[in-house]
Amino acid sequence: MLKRLTLAAMLSLGVATGALAAGERHGGTLVFTAPYGSSFATLDVQASPNTQEEFITQAIHRALYSWDSNQNKPVLELASSEDVSADGTVHTYHLRDNAVFHNGKPLTADDIIYSYKRIANPKNAFPGASYIAVIKGAEEFIAGKAEEISGLKKIDDHTLEITYTGPINPGFPLMQNTTVIYPSNVEDESSFAKTPVGLGAFVFKEHVPGSQVVVEKFDKYYEEGKPYLDRINIVLMAEDAARDVAFRNKEIDVSILGPTQYQAYQGEDALKDHLLEVAEVYTRNIGFNPAFEPFKDKRVRQAINHAINAPLIIERLVKNKAYPAAGWLPISSPAFDKDKVPYAFDPEKAKALLAEAGYADGFEFEVTASPNESWGVPIVEAILPMLKKVGITVKPKPVESSALGDAVTSNNFQAFIWSNLSGPDPLNALRCYYSKTAQSACNYASYASPDFDKLYEAAQQERDPAKQNDLLRQANNIVQDDAPVWFFNYNKAVMAYQPWIHGLVPNATELAVQPYDEIWIDETAPDARK
Amino acid sequence: MLRFTLRRVLQVVPTIVVVALLIFVIFSVVPGTFAASLFADGKRAADPQMIARLNEEFGLNKPLMERFVTYVTDLARFDLGTSFRTRQPVVDLINDRMGASLQLAVAAMVFAIVVGVPLGFLAALRPGSILDTVTMIGAVSGLSMPQFWLGLLMMYLFALQLNWLPSFGYGDGSLQNLILPAVTLGVTPLALLARTTRAGVLDVLNADFIRTAHSKGMSEAKVVRWHVARNALVLIVTTVGLQFGSLIGQAVVIEKLFAWPGIGSLLVDSVAIRDIPVVQGTILVIVLWFLIINTAVDLVYAAIDPRIKQG
């Protein structure tokens, strides 16, 4: 089953890249939707970790690395090459010599040092500080104990040396929207919140708070011949139903679909051929708190995994907009084990495991859940009768989204249902099961396994990506066997696009985030867009 | 009149203080914090150091009483605080959105008055007629229809099927974008105004002084213009005022649906992520708006009917 799904995911990847066929056309306006809220928090994207602000970031800014959706890995963006020391900790970047900020300032090593110091400045309390922490000396700087970040060293204007705390892949932390590079010659930093200046393919033009951000083509963008588009209107559209009408009315060019719309669009000839699907790097799960007596026993946790018919829920409730989970690392992860199968739906086995663990008469527990249709109360309600059949009584404890985050990070739950980032970096994703990771950091199920730790620590030191992935694959399988969570599904993200749109990519990190400089529109677009 | 005006204006102050207190207490006890909300979508692993840094920056680690004193002191200086999310003054955020909200509320009210009052009037003048029946059925439907659903219906009909109007957004601030959200928002006050006007006019028509006017040989047109309209006006003004006052609060759903950039959508967003200063500021502004309109209505009412001042 999973092999087939993986193949499906790969095929969708192929279809999408096929859209990059020759015939690119310059000009036109793209009306892109930002579907996750009704406002942009700030245009100072270093200050905001929300996906909503990534839509602006992609247009206006660039970071040292970027995510290549076709290769499914981070790649150099602002440097043309890098030299890496034998121990993997010192990277020397040769910066692009043709990268210019929108205010006319050419990119130099100073801008990167300035930006990283701004992000890590303890007074700012910026979310990207944890990404900068991979640079040597950043922790001291963030704690206010050092004036400089010792791992940042300017060799000359176009050469920068960065020493990292270990042999990590710095692409993952330094490709984030909160680690983009700002020009160091702007006197008033607060201006970034209203008039952003970046190195991206588009220049900020206008922001109507609560409505849209408009950007226009930057003539001095460093990629020759790009961008294709003259203008992008990034419009705020949080309501699924409203987005549906606007998309069908051809007022917007792309729309992220929920399960119900996914099913509807698949059934309509005019719409079904323009759906982009990707296995995103999130794992939906129910986390068990081992402080709650029954969850201390591995057999109980395994029994729950066997007692729930996950494929049925995915089919009926999630309308097949997901892939059953066979462990923590998702399909798009380079360390995903394609031979691993999900827990089989087997209520008899579940009963036997519960009896072995001393819970033949069952027990009762509550699941803290948000209203989310794909990983919230509706899912908990669906598992109630399944667990009841093996003697377990489940009670949903409905809370609002921000209260869910609060309850989980403060260890205030018996069980919780959530969708958590599980990629694209498997080393970072499995950090959440490393016993030295605090519960409040992301080890929400307080997992601790010496076998896992040994493999994880070996993977941390391993520089060969293939060997590292192999170690992480083994570690992931230990997690699956120990079942600190109920493995539900990996999200399948779906985007509907108009037939005149080309260049969209299957971004497994977040499908709604697209490289605008690759997108072009053909002559079949409505006149207003051409 | 001056004393009455002063008394009504001064009544606004304690109301605002009580509301401010309530908002502070409510948002101090509801679970969830801004820092935790940054991880609520599960798209990032939680970062306890960052949570601690943010809580310290926003003073959320201080005792409740200390936070309350700061809040009240700031409020007394007309300082609504700084947004957790944007780190901009709350006043600036509200200013950015107020124009669009007012635009929407005024347009909705104008639509409601221009259509609702004449309809109610005509229905009352011809009770039992087809026009009366249709108007009243329409009014009941308008009052009972959920705004969200009505909005979707409007989008579907006027944008998707007829292709007359854009289905969402502020555009460049043109009238085209305003029509659908304003009409959707205006339907409830329209229905209410039609019913109130009809009831008010019927009341007056049955009054003794109208019979007297008729018996003195006054023409129908004159009776309606001089007596009926004038007397029904008191009721209409009150309804218009109350509806207009609550319209900005009601616009929350419409603003979300049509991606209209008003303070309603700002409020919803801010509640979801626990950006408390913005929530407090926005609610206060909405309440203040309601109180000001209400007071203005009382004053107009008093001007139309001097007996009110005695009460």
Side-chain angles (χ1 to χ4, degrees):
Chain A
M1 173 75 170
L2 261 179
K3 270 184 192 164
R4 195 155 53 92
L5 290 173
T6 313
L7 185 68
M10 297 309 286
L11 277 176
S12 71
L13 205 139
V15 167
T17 44
L20 278 168
E24 291 91 343
R25 180 179 168 277
H26 281 88
T29 299
L30 174 74
V31 183
F32 203 84
T33 45
Y36 299 128
S38 60
S39 65
F40 295 113
T42 170
L43 303 187
D44 182 353
V45 296
Q46 285 183 347
S48 176
N50 303 313
T51 308
Q52 194 76 335
E53 277 72 65
E54 280 192 56
F55 301 112
I56 315 168
T57 311
Q58 285 301 313
I60 299 170
H61 298 285
R62 289 295 177 268
L64 185 54
Y65 290 86
S66 62
W67 176 251
D68 185 323
S69 296
N70 295 316
Q71 294 187 58
N72 216 31
K73 66 176 191 181
V75 293
L76 278 178
E77 178 65 46
L78 290 178
S80 44
S81 65
E82 65 179 325
D83 305 320
V84 184
S85 65
D87 67 352
T89 57
V90 184
H91 291 233
T92 307
Y93 297 94
H94 305 284
L95 305 180
R96 283 178 186 271
D97 51 14
N98 61 345
V100 179
F101 286 100
H102 301 155
N103 65 0
K105 183 191 180 308
L107 169 75
T108 65
D110 294 320
D111 300 313
I112 297 180
I113 294 172
Y114 159 76
S115 296
Y116 289 172
K117 280 175 70 178
R118 179 174 192 259
I119 297 161
N121 186 339
K123 284 183 193 148
N124 289 337
F126 279 175
S130 60
Y131 297 122
I132 301 299
V134 298
I135 299 172
K136 194 177 165 195
E139 290 279 11
E140 291 81 353
F141 185 83
I142 294 166
K145 291 175 190 158
E147 293 284 303
E148 299 293 331
I149 300 176
S150 61
L152 291 173
K153 190 173 161 193
K154 175 184 174 180
I155 308 295
D156 61 44
D157 272 357
H158 287 97
T159 316
L160 174 71
E161 184 186 284
I162 302 184
T163 306
Y164 295 100
T165 51
I168 53 148
N169 179 349
F172 289 110
L174 299 182
M175 69 172 195
Q176 306 291 333
N177 65 315
T178 49
T179 59
V180 295
I181 306 305
Y182 282 179
S184 56
N185 66 339
V186 173
E187 279 179 20
D188 179 14
E189 286 190 345
S190 65
S191 68
F192 291 134
K194 293 223 162 186
T195 48
V197 181
L199 290 153
F202 294 89
V203 183
F204 171 75
K205 179 75 180 167
E206 182 195 24
H207 177 211
V208 182
S211 178
Q212 65 175 358
V213 163
V214 178
V215 294
E216 287 179 347
K217 180 179 186 169
F218 179 41
D219 291 328
K220 292 183 184 161
Y221 182 53
Y222 51 75
E223 291 265 13
E224 209 178 325
K226 288 182 186 171
Y228 302 110
L229 299 161
D230 285 340
R231 178 183 159 116
I232 309 173
N233 297 348
I234 307 171
V235 298
L236 293 152
M237 289 217 76
E239 291 299 330
D240 287 357
R243 221 168 41 241
D244 180 37
V245 172
F247 183 79
R248 288 167 183 270
N249 204 29
K250 301 178 173 56
E251 289 175 85
I252 56 175
D253 288 320
V254 296
S255 179
I256 283 290
L257 305 186
T260 313
Q261 287 174 329
Y262 177 49
Q263 199 181 32
Y265 278 45
Q266 279 175 312
E268 293 186 39
D269 286 341
L271 302 171
K272 70 178 182 194
D273 293 335
H274 296 102
L275 299 180
L276 179 57
E277 299 177 5
V278 69
E280 265 188 353
V281 289
Y282 301 98
T283 301
R284 277 87 173 255
N285 65 101
I286 286 184
F288 305 123
N289 193 337
F292 180 64
E293 191 60 35
F295 294 151
K296 283 193 173 121
D297 196 312
K298 169 178 161 177
R299 291 167 295 189
V300 172
R301 305 190 302 258
Q302 288 175 328
I304 292 174
N305 270 280
H306 280 299
I308 302 171
N309 191 346
L312 183 72
I313 302 175
I314 290 171
E315 187 195 323
R316 299 281 167 83
L317 272 184
V318 192
K319 317 284 186 201
N320 285 321
K321 208 178 100 40
Y323 306 97
W328 187 252
L329 298 179
I331 295 169
S332 305
S333 172
F336 175 71
D337 188 344
K338 60 183 190 312
D339 297 322
K340 199 77 184 166
V341 290
Y343 276 88
F345 170 55
D346 188 344
E348 291 311 313
K349 191 167 182 183
K351 277 186 202 165
L353 282 165
L354 284 172
E356 266 180 49
Y359 291 99
D361 297 330
F363 62 95
E364 185 179 309
F365 72 99
E366 62 179 24
V367 182
T368 306
S370 76
N372 192 289
E373 63 176 334
S374 302
W375 45 270
V377 171
I379 305 298
V380 179
E381 284 167 351
I383 68 171
L384 295 181
M386 298 175 187
L387 288 178
K388 193 79 198 164
K389 278 188 182 156
V390 299
I392 300 173
T393 305
V394 179
K395 280 186 175 171
K397 185 182 177 189
V399 292
E400 217 204 328
S401 300
S402 62
L404 173 75
D406 218 15
V408 177
T409 53
S410 58
N411 207 12
N412 182 22
F413 62 90
Q414 284 180 354
F416 64 83
I417 183 163
W418 212 354
S419 168
N420 300 96
L421 187 71
S422 49
D425 177 6
L427 189 68
N428 191 45
L430 286 181
R431 182 178 62 91
C432 298
Y433 291 97
Y434 186 40
S435 67
K436 288 182 186 162
T437 302
Q439 189 279 338
S440 57
C442 69
N443 190 358
Y444 306 128
S446 306
Y447 184 70
S449 154
D451 293 341
F452 173 92
D453 285 358
K454 216 178 340 180
L455 283 163
Y456 185 75
E457 281 163 7
Q460 274 183 315
Q461 297 307 316
E462 181 55 62
R463 291 207 51 218
D464 179 342
K467 287 181 186 162
Q468 188 188 51
N469 284 339
D470 193 50
L471 289 164
L472 292 169
R473 198 166 12 250
Q474 294 173 49
N476 178 53
N477 288 342
I478 291 178
V479 174
Q480 198 221 15
D481 186 52
D482 274 347
V485 304
W486 167 55
F487 299 99
F488 179 23
N489 68 50
Y490 310 124
N491 181 33
K492 180 202 284 184
V494 183
M495 180 186 256
Y497 59 94
Q498 302 291 4
W500 54 82
I501 300 293
H502 304 270
L504 298 173
V505 294
N507 183 357
T509 64
E510 169 59 65
L511 183 58
V513 173
Q514 290 287 329
Y516 300 119
D517 56 339
E518 305 277 353
I519 297 174
W520 56 280
I521 56 183
D522 67 32
E523 53 289 335
T524 63
D527 288 343
R529 300 266 236 300
K530 271 193 241 176
Chain B
M1 188 69 187
L2 186 69
R3 269 187 62 189
F4 176 75
T5 309
L6 262 177
R7 206 172 66 215
R8 289 296 288 114
V9 169
L10 285 176
Q11 277 171 0
V12 169
V13 179
T15 315
I16 280 288
V17 172
V18 170
V19 169
L21 265 172
L22 272 175
I23 304 169
F24 181 85
V25 172
I26 290 168
F27 282 93
S28 299
V29 295
V30 289
T33 60
F34 169 73
S37 80
L38 293 178
F39 310 101
D41 58 7
K43 292 189 170 184
R44 286 158 296 280
D47 179 349
Q49 279 142 2
M50 186 186 141
I51 291 176
R53 273 201 306 272
L54 285 174
N55 286 342
E56 193 185 329
E57 183 187 342
F58 302 139
L60 294 174
N61 52 356
K62 290 181 182 152
L64 191 68
M65 206 52 212
E66 198 180 326
R67 280 192 280 147
F68 179 67
V69 170
T70 311
Y71 170 62
V72 172
T73 318
D74 287 349
L75 207 58
R77 292 195 303 245
F78 300 102
D79 179 359
L80 294 179
T82 304
S83 159
F84 293 166
R85 184 161 76 140
T86 69
R87 291 179 163 91
Q88 287 174 292
V90 172
V91 172
D92 288 358
L93 296 180
I94 293 174
N95 272 341
D96 279 345
R97 304 291 191 97
M98 203 57 196
S101 276
L102 284 177
Q103 219 178 334
L104 183 60
V106 169
M109 211 56 227
V110 167
F111 167 70
I113 295 171
V114 168
V115 182
V117 173
L119 268 181
F121 232 102
L122 291 173
L125 292 178
R126 303 274 178 276
S129 67
I130 294 177
L131 177 82
D132 183 27
T133 315
V134 171
T135 303
M136 283 311 105
I137 291 174
V140 172
S141 313
L143 280 175
S144 47
M145 222 183 292
Q147 284 188 329
F148 188 85
W149 184 75
L150 178 66
L152 280 176
L153 209 67
M154 298 287 243
M155 278 181 182
Y156 181 76
L157 186 66
F158 293 103
L160 194 56
Q161 294 300 321
L162 300 170
N163 213 0
W164 289 352
L165 293 164
S167 70
F168 76 98
Y170 189 65
D172 52 5
S174 67
L175 191 65
Q176 270 206 326
N177 288 76
L178 180 63
I179 294 175
L180 284 189
V183 167
T184 311
L185 183 62
V187 163
T188 307
L190 185 158
L192 212 66
L193 266 177
R195 279 174 64 100
T196 314
T197 306
R198 181 179 178 274
V201 171
L202 275 178
D203 245 15
V204 181
L205 283 175
N206 292 327
D208 289 343
F209 66 92
I210 297 292
R211 270 194 296 278
T212 312
H214 277 303
S215 63
K216 282 199 297 189
M218 209 173 193
S219 72
E220 178 75 21
K222 270 192 174 168
V223 169
V224 169
R225 196 160 59 238
W226 289 108
H227 293 296
V228 181
R230 201 182 159 84
N231 280 285
L233 199 64
V234 177
L235 198 58
I236 296 169
V237 166
T238 313
T239 313
V240 167
L242 287 175
Q243 284 299 302
F244 195 36
S246 58
L247 220 51
I248 287 196
Q250 285 175 25
V252 171
V253 177
I254 302 296
E255 287 181 11
K256 280 289 275 184
L257 182 66
F258 286 95
W260 189 262
I263 58 172
S265 48
L266 176 70
L267 175 62
V268 175
D269 261 13
S270 306
V271 169
I273 59 156
R274 302 288 188 274
D275 192 349
I276 305 302
V278 181
V279 174
Q280 288 168 337
T282 316
I283 294 179
L284 274 186
V285 166
I286 291 174
V287 170
L288 192 63
W289 164 260
F290 184 81
L291 289 174
I292 287 171
I293 301 275
N294 219 355
T295 307
V297 169
D298 279 358
L299 297 179
V300 173
Y301 201 37
I304 297 171
D305 186 347
R307 284 169 303 178
I308 304 293
K309 278 179 282 186
Q310 318 304 324

Coordinates of all heavy atoms in Angstrom, one line a residue, chain A residues 326-354:
Chain A
A326 N 3.4 5.3 8.7 CA 4.1 4.1 9.1 C 5.3 4.5 9.9 O 6.4 4.0 9.6 CB 4.5 3.4 7.8
G327 N 5.1 5.3 10.9 CA 6.2 5.8 11.7 C 6.2 7.3 11.7 O 5.2 7.9 11.3
W328 N 7.2 7.9 12.3 CA 7.2 9.3 12.5 C 7.7 10.0 11.2 O 7.0 10.9 10.7 CB 8.1 9.7 13.6 CG 8.1 11.2 13.9 CD1 9.0 12.1 13.7 CD2 6.9 11.9 14.5 NE1 8.5 13.4 14.0 CE2 7.3 13.2 14.6 CE3 5.7 11.4 15.0 CZ2 6.4 14.2 15.1 CZ3 4.8 12.4 15.5 CH2 5.2 13.7 15.6
L329 N 8.8 9.5 10.6 CA 9.3 10.2 9.4 C 8.3 10.0 8.2 O 7.9 8.9 7.9 CB 10.7 9.7 9.0 CG 11.8 10.0 10.1 CD1 13.1 9.4 9.6 CD2 11.9 11.5 10.4
P330 N 8.0 11.1 7.5 CA 7.0 11.0 6.4 C 7.6 10.6 5.1 O 8.8 10.5 5.0 CB 6.4 12.4 6.3 CG 7.6 13.3 6.7 CD 8.4 12.5 7.7
I331 N 6.7 10.3 4.1 CA 7.1 9.8 2.8 C 8.2 10.7 2.2 O 9.1 10.2 1.6 CB 5.9 9.7 1.9 CG1 4.9 8.7 2.5 CG2 6.3 9.4 0.5 CD1 3.5 8.7 1.8
S332 N 8.1 12.0 2.3 CA 9.0 12.9 1.6 C 10.4 13.0 2.4 O 11.3 13.6 1.9 CB 8.4 14.3 1.5 OG 7.2 14.2 0.9
S333 N 10.5 12.4 3.5 CA 11.7 12.4 4.2 C 12.8 11.5 3.6 O 12.5 10.4 3.2 CB 11.5 12.0 5.7 OG 12.8 11.9 6.4
P334 N 14.0 12.0 3.5 CA 15.1 11.1 2.9 C 15.3 9.9 3.7 O 15.9 8.9 3.2 CB 16.3 12.0 2.8 CG 16.0 13.2 3.7 CD 14.6 13.3 3.8
A335 N 14.9 9.9 5.0 CA 15.2 8.7 5.8 C 13.9 7.8 6.0 O 13.9 6.9 6.8 CB 15.7 9.1 7.2
F336 N 12.9 8.1 5.1 CA 11.6 7.3 5.2 C 11.9 5.9 4.8 O 12.6 5.6 3.9 CB 10.6 7.9 4.2 CG 9.3 7.1 4.2 CD1 8.4 7.1 5.2 CD2 9.0 6.4 3.0 CE1 7.3 6.4 5.1 CE2 7.9 5.7 2.9 CZ 7.0 5.6 4.0
D337 N 11.4 5.0 5.6 CA 11.6 3.5 5.3 C 10.4 3.0 4.5 O 9.3 2.8 5.0 CB 11.7 2.8 6.7 CG 12.1 1.3 6.5 OD1 12.0 0.8 5.3 OD2 12.5 0.7 7.5
K338 N 10.7 2.8 3.2 CA 9.5 2.4 2.4 C 9.1 1.0 2.6 O 8.0 0.6 2.1 CB 9.9 2.6 0.9 CG 11.1 1.9 0.4 CD 11.3 2.3 -1.1 CE 12.3 1.4 -1.8 NZ 13.6 1.1 -1.0
D339 N 9.9 0.2 3.3 CA 9.5 -1.2 3.6 C 8.7 -1.3 4.9 O 8.2 -2.4 5.2 CB 10.7 -2.1 3.7 CG 11.5 -2.1 2.4 OD1 10.8 -2.1 1.4 OD2 12.7 -2.1 2.4
K340 N 8.6 -0.2 5.6 CA 7.9 -0.3 6.9 C 6.4 -0.1 6.7 O 6.0 0.7 5.9 CB 8.4 0.9 7.8 CG 8.1 0.7 9.3 CD 9.0 -0.3 9.9 CE 8.7 -0.6 11.3 NZ 9.4 -1.8 11.9
V341 N 5.6 -0.9 7.3 CA 4.2 -0.8 7.2 C 3.5 -0.3 8.4 O 4.0 -0.4 9.5 CB 3.5 -2.2 6.8 CG1 3.9 -2.7 5.5 CG2 3.9 -3.2 7.9
P342 N 2.3 0.4 8.3 CA 1.7 0.9 9.4 C 1.2 -0.2 10.3 O 1.1 -1.4 9.9 CB 0.5 1.7 8.8 CG 0.7 1.8 7.4 CD 1.6 0.7 7.0
Y343 N 0.9 0.1 11.6 CA 0.2 -0.9 12.5 C -1.0 -1.4 11.8 O -1.8 -0.6 11.3 CB -0.1 -0.2 13.8 CG 1.0 -0.1 14.8 CD1 1.9 0.9 14.8 CD2 1.2 -1.2 15.7 CE1 2.9 1.0 15.7 CE2 2.2 -1.1 16.7 CZ 3.1 0.0 16.6 OH 4.1 0.1 17.6
A344 N -1.2 -2.7 11.8 CA -2.4 -3.3 11.2 C -3.6 -3.1 12.1 O -3.5 -3.1 13.3 CB -2.1 -4.8 11.0
F345 N -4.7 -2.9 11.5 CA -6.0 -2.7 12.3 C -6.4 -4.1 12.7 O -6.7 -5.0 11.9 CB -7.1 -2.1 11.4 CG -8.4 -2.2 12.0 CD1 -8.6 -1.6 13.3 CD2 -9.5 -2.8 11.3 CE1 -9.9 -1.7 13.9 CE2 -10.8 -2.8 11.9 CZ -10.9 -2.2 13.2
D346 N -6.2 -4.4 14.0 CA -6.4 -5.7 14.6 C -6.9 -5.6 16.0 O -6.2 -5.7 17.0 CB -5.0 -6.5 14.5 CG -5.2 -7.9 14.9 OD1 -6.2 -8.3 15.4 OD2 -4.2 -8.7 14.6
P347 N -8.3 -5.5 16.2 CA -8.8 -5.3 17.5 C -8.5 -6.5 18.4 O -8.3 -6.3 19.7 CB -10.3 -5.2 17.3 CG -10.5 -4.8 15.8 CD -9.3 -5.4 15.1
E348 N -8.5 -7.7 17.9 CA -8.2 -8.9 18.7 C -6.8 -8.8 19.3 O -6.6 -9.0 20.5 CB -8.4 -10.2 17.9 CG -9.8 -10.5 17.5 CD -10.8 -10.3 18.7 OE1 -10.5 -10.9 19.8 OE2 -11.8 -9.6 18.6
K349 N -5.9 -8.4 18.5 CA -4.5 -8.2 19.0 C -4.4 -7.1 20.1 O -3.7 -7.2 21.1 CB -3.6 -7.9 17.8 CG -2.1 -8.0 18.2 CD -1.2 -8.0 16.9 CE 0.2 -8.1 17.3 NZ 1.1 -8.0 16.1
A350 N -5.2 -6.1 19.8 CA -5.2 -5.0 20.7 C -5.7 -5.5 22.1 O -5.2 -5.1 23.1 CB -6.1 -3.9 20.2
K351 N -6.8 -6.3 22.1 CA -7.4 -6.8 23.3 C -6.3 -7.6 24.0 O -6.2 -7.5 25.3 CB -8.6 -7.6 23.0 CG -9.9 -6.8 22.8 CD -11.1 -7.7 22.7 CE -12.2 -7.0 22.0 NZ -13.2 -8.0 21.5
A352 N -5.7 -8.5 23.3 CA -4.7 -9.4 23.9 C -3.5 -8.6 24.5 O -3.1 -8.8 25.7 CB -4.1 -10.3 22.8
L353 N -3.1 -7.5 23.8 CA -2.0 -6.7 24.4 C -2.5 -6.0 25.7 O -1.7 -5.9 26.6 CB -1.6 -5.6 23.3 CG -0.7 -6.1 22.2 CD1 -0.6 -5.1 21.1 CD2 0.8 -6.4 22.8
L354 N -3.7 -5.5 25.6 CA -4.2 -4.8 26.8 C -4.3 -5.8 28.0 O -4.0 -5.4 29.1 CB -5.6 -4.2 26.5 CG -5.6 -2.9 25.7 CD1 -7.1 -2.6 25.3 CD2 -5.0 -1.8 26.4

